[in-house]
Amino acid sequence: MFAEASLSIWGWGGLGVVLFLVTFGPFAIFYLAFYIFCFIGGGFAVTLLYGKINSEKHLEKCEHSYLPSTQIGILKTLDEMKLEIKPIKIDRRLTGSSFIDEPLQQVIQFALRDYIQYWYYTLSEDESFLLEIRQTLQNALVQFSTRSKEVDWQPYFTTRLVDDFATHLRVFRKAQDRLTDREDKQRDIMEELVDSFFEAEVEMERKICRDVVCTSHKDEEGFLRDLCELLLYLLLPPGDFHNKNMRYFLREVLARGVLLPLINQLSDPDYINQFVIWMIRDSSCNYEAFMNILKMTDKPAELEAVKDKVLEELQYLRSLDTAGDDINVIKNQINSLLFVKKVCETRIQRLQSGKEVDALKLAANFGKLCVIPLDHILIHNIALQFFMDFMQAAGAQAELFFWLTVEGYRVTAQQQLEAMEGWQKDGKKQPSTTKGLLKAAALGVYEQYLSDKASPRVQVDEVSVTKLGDKLQKDDPTPEIFDEIQRKVYELMLRDERYYPSFKQSPLYVRMLAELDMLKEPSYRGSDDGDGESFNGSPTGSINLSLDDLSNACHDEFMHLHAFISDTGVCNDHGKTYALYAITVVRRNQDGSEDCWKTYRRYSDFHDFHMRITEQFENLASILKLPGKKTFNNMDREFLEKRKKDLNAYLQLLLNPEMVKACPTLIPYVYDFLENKAYSKGKGEFARKIDTFVNPLRSSMRNVSNAVKALPDSLAEGMTKVSDNMGRMSERLGQDIKQSILKVPPLLPKSEIDPDHCRVSAQLDDNVDDNIPLRVMLLLMDEVFDLKEKNQWLRRNIKNLLQQLIRATYGDTINRKIVDHVDYLTSPEQVADYVKKFRDSYWPNGILAETPPRRDKSIRMRTRVAAKTSLLGIMPDELKHIIGADTTRKGILRVFDMFQYQPMNRRLVYVFLEGFLETMFPQYKFPELFVKLHSRSPRIHRYSQKLKSSSLKR
């Protein structure tokens, strides 16, 4: 029975299993196990939830039974917080000017969108924080705008800003001077220059040194945090400022998100170079400046970058498949690029070999120098300065100063006598002291240079001196009273081997030629004003007509002669490239027929012809104006078209019937110039260069004289002021002459501090309040071109004379123009334009601009070359005529070099920022604050210890 029972169990069990698998499939067992697991897990979860709910209810009952009830105020606060937040109303008025508010609101919106909203919405969707941020920012802008309207910005932009820049340049110049005498040759030049710069800053500022802020990133961030927190205190409402979270948040955004990136960009040398190129984008490329930069650079990386670009351009030009006229243009471009490549390779080889040759020594040993006549030297301020140095070294300064003093006396006497005649004609009362002053001045010249008491005494025969003394005692002085002795002194300086002949053999003469820009290496290329015969003929097949017989033509025949420049072209002759102008000449004969021919002239032919006729007819010099040579060897088509237009105007004025009537003897010269033959130059290249440098000085003197004569009323009204200025100038000139001749020590300055160790504005006269912007500009010019060095006696006096003349006559006008320009730059319309430009450059089309890719080294080096070329190319020729070509180049390159060091640029940015804040908030003690912030530098402590030790030694 037991066996049957077990068999039936296994049978029925097996049958059940088989039926289960057949019915539900082979995986039914797994489903069954899963169902059982879910049943058990669900029961466990229900038990936990039921227990949790019951336990919470139990705890709540215990809380109410053992804790006090919640206060009503807290419940009301919770209820108010649950209510819907009302939108904050934002006033969109910021500055009070709709021109500025509209673009400024867009800038605020874009900034919040791209710098705050993108990360805030990942944390919360509540917009109240964003609205509060916007409201706080607008409140700060309103406070800033209100404060800026109360400030007079003219003194800052016309005086403080220029003074900060000039003082920064002075510190850099002192650092450069120290670098030339450095003893540690193993240290990096840049590191040494930066150290010298901040050492010089300590000596200048005494209590401030910004080296820590400019060289340490950590200290710079700390300085900016302190500064931003102070600005937030001044600009934010008290409630927002006392909110620490808000204050720290805004401080970090301003310091690290706004100011630090801005300072990094403004102090980047490559960015400054790009900005310089952009500022001078309207000026044409100057070939002469470009070649000078390549020949003067001491950076092989710059030359390598230019050479690589030249090779790239050469490869492109050689790959072009052209024919016809284009092939000549391409050949000219290839020749130019090959020349630039050769210059770069030669310069690189010299720099790498260490065999750099001094151009002055090379020219002195070469022996073939231009000869400048003595009469040209005496009327040109640059040449005169070097001749004056030579005469002082030779002990013959008395003769030169006598000649110059007599020239000044003659001009002054002529002006005073002309003024007296004008007063007599107008019936005005003649000042009785005029003749007495002239006689006293003449006697002063006699006593200082010709009398027995004069020391040193001018070397002149006693007969002439005695004769002059008798005339001074008996007769009234005339402008020509010293002419005879002056002529003898001139012959002495010209003929005596100790003076002018020896000067031509001295190194000072070579330096003079360098300043006159007449000391150049031979060029492989020509220029549009170089020597060489002009191509003449008639390639178009016009008749060969000789004008030899026309020089005796009658005046009526000349009236029917017309000429104009019909075309311009660029010619290449044995490697020389120059511009050629085709002049079409038409002559109408008496029988009604016309003769037509073409002649071809270069700019040098026009220059030679102009020099000829202005020498023969002096009255033409003020009428005929030959277009100047502003760019050297520039074959640009636009430039050639402009010169063609100017030369055409010159020709039409020359052929004007009224001109012919006024100067009938001019006809043969015009015929000779327009004749269809090779033009024979009467002047050499040196004569044309001398004319280029001497004539501007003469023209400027004539213009000043004409202006003085044309303004008798204004000068009569300001005669007292002019007389005072002339008296101060004469007194200073006399002190300088006495110091040079008699070795009288100079007067002590008002302060015991060396003027070279103080700010530039410290040289302003405290008793004179007029024309401050103009005088600061002149002081800036002193710093750029270093006109105060010891051998610049004459240049200093010329600058002082210019300053006094401008102040006495046109100073108020120029000063007013400067002030008006500053007012225009700070007007609401211009400020709105600045904001729009910032918005469009930072968010073009309303989208945040992408970060520009980092520029490689070769591009940055070529940018340096382009920036230097642009700066040197915009310098007017008139400036070179006044202070010298070499001095101009050195001054411009010094300014460029100053911007190539980022720590120094950071210092300049911080100086500008500090000056701006001191002007913006004058009622707060910002100067004392900056002294405390910058006094952490170790250089301050070392300088203080140095001063203490030096005082103890005394």
Side-chain angles (χ1 to χ4, degrees):
M1 288 295 292
F2 179 77
E4 291 180 0
S6 62
L7 180 61
S8 61
I9 292 173
W10 282 106
W12 286 105
L15 179 62
V17 171
V18 171
L19 292 175
F20 180 83
L21 292 176
V22 171
T23 304
F24 297 101
F27 294 98
I29 187 66
F30 297 104
Y31 291 133
L32 180 62
F34 176 73
Y35 295 152
I36 296 173
F37 175 76
C38 289
F39 176 77
I40 297 174
F44 183 72
V46 169
T47 303
L48 288 178
L49 289 176
Y50 179 76
K52 180 176 182 296
I53 292 173
N54 289 335
S55 62
E56 287 178 351
K57 290 181 179 180
H58 179 71
L59 289 175
E60 186 176 357
K61 291 179 180 179
C62 295
E63 179 182 2
H64 286 291
S65 60
Y66 296 106
L67 297 177
S69 59
T70 306
Q71 297 181 2
I72 301 176
I74 297 177
L75 297 176
K76 289 185 176 181
T77 303
L78 294 174
D79 294 338
E80 291 179 359
M81 292 177 64
K82 294 178 182 178
L83 295 177
E84 182 180 0
I85 300 176
K86 298 181 180 180
I88 301 176
K89 295 182 179 180
I90 297 180
D91 190 356
R92 299 182 64 85
R93 293 175 298 178
L94 296 175
T95 63
S97 174
S98 59
F99 299 105
I100 306 175
D101 290 349
E102 182 179 353
L104 194 57
Q105 285 287 353
Q106 292 179 350
V107 170
I108 295 174
Q109 179 181 353
F110 293 155
L112 292 175
R113 180 195 67 188
D114 295 329
Y115 291 100
I116 296 180
Q117 291 179 5
Y118 84 96
W119 57 263
Y120 176 75
Y121 281 133
T122 61
L123 303 177
S124 172
E125 295 181 356
D126 187 3
E127 295 187 355
S128 60
F129 174 77
L130 298 177
L131 295 175
E132 291 289 348
I133 287 289
R134 187 184 185 108
Q135 185 64 46
T136 301
L137 183 59
Q138 291 195 171
N139 291 335
L141 289 176
V142 170
Q143 291 292 331
F144 181 85
S145 174
T146 304
R147 182 60 202 149
S148 62
K149 292 178 182 178
E150 300 173 357
V151 177
D152 183 10
W153 290 105
Q154 290 180 5
Y156 173 73
F157 286 106
T158 60
T159 304
R160 175 66 184 266
L161 197 68
V162 182
D163 175 44
D164 288 338
F165 180 81
T167 303
H168 184 82
L169 182 60
R170 173 177 290 184
V171 176
F172 178 74
R173 178 171 53 82
K174 290 170 63 65
Q176 275 189 325
D177 295 340
R178 293 181 180 181
L179 192 63
T180 57
D181 302 330
R182 67 190 181 103
E183 298 179 355
D184 187 4
K185 303 294 183 181
Q186 302 298 325
R187 291 188 61 185
D188 181 61
I189 294 179
M190 178 179 176
E191 180 183 354
E192 181 72 18
L193 183 61
V194 171
D195 288 343
S196 300
F197 178 85
F198 287 110
E199 290 290 344
E201 184 193 20
V202 174
E203 297 176 1
M204 187 79 65
E205 301 285 352
R206 290 177 177 80
K207 296 181 179 180
I208 290 179
C209 185
R210 301 172 180 86
D211 57 340
V212 175
V213 175
C214 297
T215 56
S216 173
H217 186 70
K218 180 179 179 180
D219 292 314
E220 183 179 19
E221 287 186 354
F223 172 80
L224 290 177
R225 286 193 184 98
D226 295 339
L227 189 61
C228 290
E229 191 159 0
L230 178 60
L231 292 177
L232 292 176
Y233 171 76
L234 297 176
L235 297 176
L236 290 182
D240 292 337
F241 178 79
H242 292 299
N243 186 342
K244 291 186 178 181
N245 295 330
M246 176 71 73
R247 183 170 79 243
Y248 293 159
F249 173 77
L250 292 178
R251 185 190 68 182
E252 291 299 317
V253 170
L254 286 176
R256 303 191 62 180
V258 178
L259 288 181
L260 190 59
L262 180 63
I263 293 172
N264 289 335
Q265 184 173 18
L266 294 178
S267 61
D268 183 16
D270 186 58
Y271 173 79
I272 296 176
N273 295 337
Q274 296 179 64
F275 182 75
V276 168
I277 296 173
W278 178 80
M279 288 289 292
I280 319 176
R281 62 190 181 278
D282 295 333
S283 63
S284 58
C285 182
N286 192 314
Y287 171 80
E288 183 183 18
F290 176 65
M291 297 310 299
N292 283 333
I293 292 300
L294 293 183
K295 294 176 182 178
M296 291 188 302
T297 183
D298 56 352
K299 302 288 185 183
E302 295 179 3
L303 298 169
E304 290 287 355
V306 174
K307 178 185 172 183
D308 293 341
K309 190 65 177 178
V310 167
L311 294 176
E312 180 182 340
E313 292 294 327
L314 282 173
Q315 185 178 3
Y316 170 74
L317 291 175
R318 287 168 176 167
S319 65
L320 295 178
D321 184 13
T322 57
D325 297 336
D326 293 339
I327 192 66
N328 294 325
V329 177
I330 293 176
K331 285 183 178 180
N332 291 335
Q333 294 177 356
I334 290 176
N335 290 335
S336 300
L337 292 174
L338 289 175
F339 175 71
V340 175
K341 175 176 172 289
K342 182 176 182 180
V343 172
C344 293
E345 290 175 346
T346 304
R347 183 67 178 167
I348 291 172
Q349 185 177 4
R350 287 183 179 179
L351 291 174
Q352 292 179 347
S353 62
K355 296 180 180 180
E356 179 61 20
V357 180
D358 189 352
L360 298 180
K361 295 180 181 179
L362 181 64
N365 296 328
F366 190 62
K368 295 181 180 180
L369 301 175
C370 298
V371 178
I372 301 182
L374 180 60
D375 56 342
H376 287 164
I377 292 177
L378 293 176
I379 65 173
H380 197 284
N381 64 299
I382 296 176
L384 178 59
Q385 181 257 318
F386 289 96
F387 186 61
M388 184 180 296
D389 289 346
F390 177 82
M391 294 293 283
Q392 286 179 340
Q397 61 269 36
E399 284 72 15
L400 178 58
F401 281 132
F402 171 76
W403 192 93
L404 295 173
T405 306
V406 170
E407 284 293 308
Y409 167 80
R410 181 187 296 108
V411 174
T412 304
Q414 289 176 350
Q415 291 179 349
Q416 294 294 331
L417 293 178
E418 289 178 2
M420 289 173 57
E421 294 177 359
W423 291 329
Q424 291 176 355
K425 291 180 180 179
D426 297 339
K428 296 181 180 180
K429 185 177 180 181
Q430 176 180 337
S432 58
T433 58
T434 302
K435 291 185 178 180
L437 290 174
L438 289 179
K439 188 169 185 178
L443 289 174
V445 174
Y446 177 83
E447 292 291 336
Q448 187 171 0
Y449 295 104
L450 300 174
S451 66
D452 296 335
K453 299 179 182 179
S455 177
R457 190 167 182 258
V458 175
Q459 304 175 21
V460 194
D461 59 282
E462 293 295 335
V463 177
S464 301
V465 174
T466 304
K467 182 179 177 181
L468 175 63
D470 295 338
K471 290 179 65 176
L472 288 174
Q473 294 296 332
K474 298 177 181 179
D475 303 332
D476 290 334
T478 62
E480 299 83 12
I481 194 169
F482 293 102
D483 284 1
E484 181 181 354
I485 296 182
Q486 187 189 29
R487 184 168 54 254
K488 292 182 178 181
V489 171
Y490 176 82
E491 291 294 329
L492 175 66
M493 293 188 295
L494 179 65
R495 308 296 179 190
D496 197 316
E497 290 293 334
R498 296 172 296 171
Y499 306 142
Y500 176 66
S502 298
F503 173 64
K504 292 189 294 183
Q505 306 298 325
S506 68
L508 285 174
Y509 187 81
V510 181
R511 291 178 54 194
M512 179 191 71
L513 294 180
E515 289 287 8
L516 295 177
D517 208 18
M518 301 176 68
L519 193 67
K520 296 182 179 179
E521 299 178 4
S523 177
Y524 290 92
R525 294 187 59 181
S527 65
D528 61 340
D529 64 341
D531 283 331
E533 298 297 334
S534 300
F535 173 74
N536 288 273
S538 181
T540 59
S542 60
I543 61 174
N544 293 324
L545 179 67
S546 175
L547 297 182
D548 291 338
D549 58 336
L550 292 181
S551 59
N552 297 323
C554 65
H555 173 73
D556 294 335
E557 290 181 355
F558 186 80
M559 294 291 289
H560 299 288
L561 188 68
H562 303 279
F564 62 93
I565 300 177
S566 57
D567 195 12
T568 59
V570 179
C571 296
N572 194 314
D573 185 16
H574 300 290
K576 291 185 177 181
T577 304
Y578 54 87
L580 203 61
Y581 302 90
I583 305 175
T584 300
V585 186
V586 180
R587 185 185 65 176
R588 184 179 303 171
N589 299 322
Q590 293 181 351
D591 57 0
S593 61
E594 291 184 350
D595 295 328
C596 180
W597 67 91
K598 283 190 177 182
T599 183
Y600 295 85
R601 295 287 181 256
R602 296 167 60 174
Y603 177 80
S604 59
D605 301 332
F606 278 94
H607 193 184
D608 184 272
F609 170 72
H610 181 75
M611 290 177 61
R612 282 185 176 185
I613 62 176
T614 51
E615 284 183 359
Q616 295 294 327
F617 312 96
E618 294 185 357
N619 57 335
L620 294 180
S622 60
I623 302 175
L624 289 173
K625 299 296 182 183
L626 186 69
K629 176 175 168 288
K630 294 300 182 185
T631 52
F632 182 83
N633 199 31
N634 194 336
M635 297 295 107
D636 182 65
R637 190 67 189 175
E638 182 180 353
F639 170 75
L640 293 179
E641 287 297 327
K642 182 180 182 301
R643 174 164 284 181
K644 170 188 171 183
K645 180 180 178 181
D646 295 339
L647 290 177
N648 254 326
Y650 179 85
L651 276 178
Q652 302 313 312
L653 182 60
L654 187 66
L655 297 175
N656 189 285
E658 299 297 330
M659 180 75 72
V660 177
K661 291 179 181 179
C663 302
T665 55
L666 180 65
I667 297 175
Y669 294 92
V670 179
Y671 279 150
D672 180 67
F673 182 71
L674 296 178
E675 189 174 0
N676 187 14
K677 67 177 183 180
Y679 180 71
S680 178
K681 291 187 175 69
K683 304 290 183 180
E685 181 181 3
F686 168 70
R688 291 196 300 276
K689 285 189 175 183
I690 282 291
D691 179 75
T692 302
F693 282 96
V694 174
N695 275 344
L697 181 62
R698 292 175 175 171
S699 301
S700 62
M701 292 174 65
R702 285 196 298 267
N703 293 335
V704 171
S705 177
N706 294 334
V708 171
K709 293 179 181 179
L711 298 171
D713 296 335
S714 61
L715 287 180
E717 295 173 359
M719 184 57 67
T720 304
K721 187 176 181 180
V722 174
S723 301
D724 295 340
N725 292 334
M726 291 298 293
R728 286 195 293 268
M729 283 188 291
S730 301
E731 181 181 356
R732 179 160 186 174
L733 180 63
Q735 289 181 357
D736 289 335
I737 292 176
K738 290 180 181 179
Q739 179 182 346
S740 302
I741 299 176
L742 305 177
K743 306 301 181 183
V744 177
L747 297 176
L748 293 176
K750 292 184 295 183
S751 175
E752 297 180 356
I753 301 175
D754 185 2
D756 202 35
H757 288 76
C758 62
R759 296 183 63 87
V760 173
S761 60
Q763 303 176 36
L764 291 174
D765 190 355
D766 298 334
N767 298 323
V768 181
D769 295 330
D770 58 331
N771 298 335
I772 294 292
L774 175 62
R775 291 189 288 140
V776 174
M777 292 293 181
L778 292 174
L779 291 176
L780 174 61
M781 188 181 71
D782 286 347
E783 292 302 321
V784 172
F785 300 106
D786 197 13
L787 300 182
K788 301 181 298 300
E789 57 186 27
K790 296 181 180 179
N791 63 345
Q792 302 285 338
W793 177 86
L794 186 63
R795 298 187 193 181
R796 287 202 319 271
N797 284 280
I798 287 178
K799 188 269 300 180
N800 293 330
L801 176 63
L802 222 100
Q803 181 178 358
Q804 296 288 350
L805 180 62
I806 291 175
R807 287 176 56 195
T809 55
Y810 307 107
D812 294 335
T813 303
I814 297 175
N815 186 76
R816 187 164 54 252
K817 286 184 177 296
I818 296 175
V819 173
D820 292 344
H821 187 64
V822 171
D823 289 338
Y824 168 73
L825 293 178
T826 55
S827 62
E829 293 78 10
Q830 285 300 111
V831 173
D833 189 57
Y834 303 149
V835 177
K836 290 178 182 177
K837 289 181 178 178
F838 172 76
R839 177 199 63 192
D840 296 338
S841 62
Y842 215 82
W843 289 279
N845 299 321
I847 301 175
L848 184 64
E850 297 181 358
T851 303
R854 181 171 177 80
R855 292 153 53 89
D856 58 24
K857 183 178 180 181
S858 61
I859 296 179
R860 288 186 278 116
M861 290 298 105
R862 285 196 292 270
T863 304
R864 284 171 56 99
V865 175
K868 285 191 285 187
T869 303
S870 300
L871 286 173
L872 203 59
I874 64 170
M875 287 296 104
D877 292 338
E878 291 77 10
L879 182 62
K880 299 177 183 178
H881 300 153
I882 295 175
I883 65 176
D886 192 52
T887 300
T888 302
R889 283 192 292 266
K890 289 181 179 178
I892 295 301
L893 293 180
R894 180 185 295 114
V895 174
F896 173 82
D897 291 337
M898 181 184 69
F899 288 116
Q900 304 311 306
Y901 301 93
Q902 191 164 16
M904 301 180 192
N905 295 339
R906 300 183 91 86
R907 187 259 179 193
L908 184 60
V909 172
Y910 281 118
V911 168
F912 286 161
L913 178 61
E914 293 167 11
F916 177 82
L917 294 177
E918 292 176 13
T919 307
M920 186 79 176
F921 305 99
Q923 70 273 27
Y924 300 104
K925 299 180 180 180
F926 267 99
E928 291 82 354
L929 173 66
F930 290 132
V931 169
K932 292 181 180 179
L933 293 178
H934 293 303
S935 61
R936 306 166 184 171
S937 172
R939 283 189 171 89
I940 295 292
H941 302 291
R942 289 198 298 266
Y943 182 74
S944 301
Q945 295 295 330
K946 181 180 178 181
L947 290 180
K948 290 181 181 179
S949 61
S950 60
S951 61
L952 291 176
K953 291 180 180 178
R954 293 178 182 177

